[in-house]
Amino acid sequence: MELKKQIQALGEEAKKLISEAIDIEKLNQIRVEFLGKKGKLKNILKTLGKLSPEERKEIGQLANKIKEELEQLLKGRQEELKKKALEEELSKNKIDITLPPHWIEAGASHPVISTLIEISETFISMGFSVAEGPEVEKEEYNFDMLNIPKDHPARDMQDTFFLNNGDVLRTHTSPVQIRTMLKQKPPIAVIAPGRVYRKDADPTHSPMFHQIEGLLVDENVTFRDLKGILKVFLETTFGKDIPIRFRPSYFPFTEPSAEVDIGCTVCGGKGCRVCKGTGWLEILGCGMVDPNVFKAVDIDPDKYTGFAFGLGVERIAMLKYRITDIRLLFTGDLRFNHQFKGIR
Ligand code: FA5
């Protein structure tokens, strides 16, 4: 029977094409060409009407069988091709899961900066505002107006870096007192954090370090106010149990003057290289503003009194975190710095 042969030949042709198809698109074309509404199989079946009912049944069954076979084959081949495509994709974009991960280090504040911010916040919470001044300073503000005249031995208290034009790298933050009082009249309550420079280098002295200056001027300010404010700062920074000592001292710009020492936290007061065997480490200088300083900035010393202090931030960081050499703070060694991650 002619028709039977035609259907079988069509089946064979389709099977061959399916097995040779190289992608899903090709498979879809084959499906449409052979099994689609206007496909080859449908075309042949259109001629069934001319046949006897027995032949029609036989051919119909054959056509159905071949249709099912082809659908099965198409499905199977489609799966194969999909799998192959996935494998190709995976081998192209191979990921080596044994490679170590690429870490991105999170940054953190340097311990000196964290300490500086923490101390500043304590004073800000007590009503002080923040003042600033330049690191390259006029000699006049760094010394003269602070009652340290030229050729006075007090100039040697701080070894100074001079610039060619006669300016200096400020040796302390005290010139910000002068700048503030020239601009602003009492009541004044400011702190001035910043970098200062001196020709100094040993385990507790660095040529660049940070100070925080404090200045409070108003009527009836006394040494008791100074002690009270410093006590709050010291207890907030070190806790209530830390030994504190006020020691009489001398600064040209304050009278009377004092220095504050903290019991050495590195050796617990027994004596070590940080406290140079004394059990104490000096962290700040302070005193009542000298009337000569008030005169230099045109503030009436008969009406106003005030206190000032200047504290060493690195020294405080050393005591807080038991750092045995100030120079460790400036090596830039990340292994050192990372130990202080998250202290703020
Ligand atoms: C002063 O600098 C005064 N201007 C402080 C002051 C201000 C007194 C206002 C009175 C009124 P002194 O030189 O002592 O003082 O330094 C103050 C603090 O800075 C010291 O107590 C110490 O903690 C720190 N310090 C001084 N030199 C160094 C240095 N080379 N490296 C690190 N810290 C230092």
Side-chain angles (χ1 to χ4, degrees), residues 158 171-172 174 177 198 200 204-207 209 211 213 251 253-254 259 282-287 308-312 314-315 326:
Q158 302 165 355
T171 55
H172 52 177
S174 299
Q177 286 188 40
R198 292 182 197 181
D200 251 353
T204 55
H205 292 84
S206 165
F209 62 103
Q211 286 190 338
E213 192 79 8
F251 295 101
F253 32 92
T254 46
E259 282 178 314
E282 176 204 316
I283 57 159
L284 66 87
C286 62
F309 58 84
L311 55 87
E314 282 75 7
R315 295 276 178 91
I326 198 167

Side-chain angles (χ1 to χ4, degrees), residues 24-68:
I24 307 261
E25 202 183 329
K26 183 72 196 164
L27 276 186
N28 287 337
Q29 279 173 15
I30 298 169
R31 178 177 288 116
V32 174
E33 188 183 336
F34 288 88
L35 304 178
K37 273 188 196 148
K38 293 177 186 164
K40 287 182 174 168
L41 193 62
K42 274 270 154 62
N43 277 342
I44 295 175
L45 294 179
K46 273 184 197 155
T47 58
L48 280 185
K50 295 176 194 155
L51 304 176
S52 65
E54 290 81 39
E55 282 174 327
R56 212 182 298 160
K57 192 177 166 205
E58 193 189 342
I59 298 285
Q61 277 172 351
L62 177 66
N64 266 340
K65 189 173 149 256
I66 291 209
K67 188 172 170 237
E68 270 167 33

Side-chain angles (χ1 to χ4, degrees), residues 278-294:
T278 64
W280 298 93
L281 192 67
E282 176 204 316
I283 57 159
L284 66 87
C286 62
M288 301 305 293
V289 179
D290 192 289
N292 283 339
V293 175
F294 280 145

Side-chain angles (χ1 to χ4, degrees), residues 277-328:
T278 64
W280 298 93
L281 192 67
E282 176 204 316
I283 57 159
L284 66 87
C286 62
M288 301 305 293
V289 179
D290 192 289
N292 283 339
V293 175
F294 280 145
K295 283 182 204 152
V297 293
D298 219 7
I299 288 178
D300 181 359
D302 293 327
K303 185 167 178 204
Y304 294 106
T305 50
F307 66 70
F309 58 84
L311 55 87
V313 179
E314 282 75 7
R315 295 276 178 91
I316 291 166
M318 286 173 81
L319 289 169
K320 222 168 139 57
Y321 304 115
R322 301 199 176 94
I323 296 165
T324 51
D325 194 318
I326 198 167
R327 290 166 291 199
L328 284 169

